[in-house]
Amino acid sequence: MNIDIKGHSGCIIEVIEKDNKLYVKKSSNDPKYIERLYKQGRKQSLDNQDIVNVPNIIDCVINKEESYSYILMDYIYAQNFIDYFEHASKSDIDNFIETFCKYINYELNYCEVKYIPKDIFINKFKSVKGNCFQNELLIDNPITERLLDACEIVFNKLPDFLQIPIGKCHGDLTFSNILFTSNKFYFIDYLDSFIETPIQDIVKLRQDTLYFWSTQMYSKRYDKIRLKIIFKYIDDKINKYFSTNEYYYANYNILQLMNILRILPYVKEESVRDFLYNIIDELLNKSIPNGYE
């Protein structure tokens, strides 16, 4: 049996057979990642709502002394998002949109709206900015400096406190972290966020539906025009559905800006760097309508 399974986090991903059943083992011996992987497994194991499916976590282990951690979960026979949408009907797509919206509403119902000081954003930005200047593709680049200077202005001009619903969220809900079957959706690879809010899950999905981020990591041929039409349909529906939520409406742009900035320090290709530059430029122009230069 030849099973193609891979990820983009740098972890080792294996399919293991035991007692005639398949499991996925995700492991890391990177000291910088072992605690993050352990937290992923714990967070995934605690998402026990009934709206979407989550692969059962069989084991979640961390050994800091030996710099090693792993999670073991059920293997799900499923498709990735591109293969799924390649043949999905309109009712399939509508079913996904409805399921996603129900999931976010479920999260929001268990949230508490809190006043988040803008210093949370400013400190996070400073950390991201420092990491950017450790990446050779970003150092001594006038575009990097121009965009980061503009972002600093935006974060400094935020109100002293932002009202944000705080509670459970997936944390990295891009299409690359969703498994698709004929009528079910499985969420995987949960992640802690610097602000735990369901708005972040909308931000992450729109990272794909609006900006096609996860397609950057897909090397096989596919119908790009069809996928573009489907993504626009999903994005329009989701954005319209949540536009009546005052917390989404007020915080989307700033959370998306921070979201894209957090990716920037890790780029390894000029094409991906330039792709992110363009998104940051667009978000800045939305945040400062009269321009920022």
Side-chain angles (χ1 to χ4, degrees):
M1 181 184 296
N2 183 20
I3 298 176
D4 181 22
I5 181 170
K6 58 185 178 180
H8 307 286
S9 63
C11 290
I12 299 169
I13 301 180
E14 308 165 90
V15 177
I16 298 173
E17 184 176 0
K18 182 179 180 181
D19 299 328
N20 295 318
K21 188 174 180 180
L22 295 178
Y23 302 92
V24 173
K25 183 179 182 181
K26 185 175 180 181
S27 60
S28 176
N29 57 8
D30 182 347
K32 297 179 180 179
Y33 198 86
I34 59 170
E35 189 163 353
R36 181 182 179 187
L37 177 59
Y38 176 76
K39 288 181 178 179
Q40 282 183 359
R42 292 292 300 160
K43 193 172 186 180
Q44 180 172 322
S45 68
L46 295 173
D47 196 356
N48 56 1
Q49 46 70 40
D50 297 323
I51 298 169
V52 297
N53 300 276
V54 180
N56 184 39
I57 297 290
I58 308 300
D59 206 358
C60 186
V61 173
I62 183 170
N63 188 324
K64 292 184 179 180
E65 291 182 358
E66 298 183 11
S67 294
Y68 182 74
S69 67
Y70 73 85
I71 55 178
L72 185 70
M73 72 184 85
D74 287 340
Y75 177 85
I76 305 298
Y77 292 89
Q79 294 177 295
N80 62 54
F81 70 100
I82 289 183
D83 291 342
Y84 180 79
F85 287 127
E86 195 84 16
H87 304 286
S89 66
K90 183 176 181 299
S91 62
D92 292 331
I93 298 166
D94 286 336
N95 181 39
F96 171 78
I97 295 169
E98 181 181 358
T99 302
F100 175 80
C101 291
K102 283 182 178 179
Y103 178 79
I104 299 300
N105 280 334
Y106 176 91
E107 291 181 323
L108 287 169
N109 286 337
Y110 287 89
C111 283
E112 179 183 353
V113 177
K114 296 187 177 181
Y115 289 87
I116 305 300
K118 74 175 183 181
D119 286 350
I120 298 291
F121 287 87
I122 292 173
N123 292 335
K124 186 63 181 178
F125 170 73
K126 288 179 180 178
S127 173
V128 170
K129 183 178 180 180
N131 291 334
C132 282
F133 290 123
Q134 296 180 26
N135 185 327
E136 292 183 359
L137 282 177
L138 306 176
I139 297 174
D140 297 327
N141 187 311
I143 299 177
T144 302
E145 294 178 3
R146 174 175 65 85
L147 293 177
L148 290 178
D149 286 348
C151 289
E152 189 165 9
I153 292 171
V154 169
F155 290 117
N156 282 324
K157 286 188 174 181
L158 287 173
D160 290 339
F161 294 91
L162 292 81
Q163 291 188 63
I164 299 177
I166 301 299
K168 291 173 58 178
C169 69
H170 178 285
D172 194 19
L173 196 51
T174 59
F175 277 131
S176 58
N177 290 330
I178 302 175
L179 304 177
F180 295 81
T181 67
S182 58
N183 58 1
K184 292 182 180 180
F185 312 104
Y186 289 81
F187 289 179
I188 60 172
D189 286 353
Y190 286 62
L191 189 64
D192 286 339
S193 178
F194 81 106
I195 294 180
E196 289 286 309
T197 173
I199 307 300
Q200 183 72 7
D201 284 346
I202 309 174
V203 164
K204 297 297 288 192
L205 192 76
R206 294 196 70 200
Q207 178 181 317
D208 277 341
T209 58
L210 188 57
Y211 299 119
F212 297 84
W213 168 251
S214 290
T215 64
Q216 301 291 311
M217 298 172 281
Y218 192 86
S219 58
K220 298 178 182 179
R221 296 183 64 181
Y222 64 94
D223 189 338
K224 294 184 180 180
I225 295 176
R226 173 183 169 86
L227 192 67
K228 185 175 182 179
I229 292 170
I230 290 172
F231 274 17
K232 186 178 187 309
Y233 178 77
I234 296 173
D235 190 72
D236 288 346
K237 290 282 188 180
I238 288 174
N239 188 44
K240 182 178 180 180
Y241 182 88
F242 289 105
S243 62
T244 56
N245 183 297
E246 61 179 306
Y247 306 112
Y248 167 74
Y249 182 82
N251 296 301
Y252 169 78
N253 277 348
I254 197 66
L255 285 171
Q256 188 65 274
L257 179 60
M258 182 65 82
N259 175 48
I260 300 300
L261 281 170
R262 291 170 70 193
I263 302 172
L264 192 59
Y266 305 102
V267 295
K268 298 178 181 179
E269 301 172 10
E270 289 186 2
S271 60
V272 178
R273 178 200 64 190
D274 295 344
F275 173 80
L276 294 174
Y277 279 165
N278 288 334
I279 298 175
I280 294 169
D281 230 341
E282 177 184 327
L283 288 165
L284 283 168
N285 280 311
K286 288 179 179 178
S287 300
I288 311 176
N290 295 325
Y292 54 89
E293 293 186 286

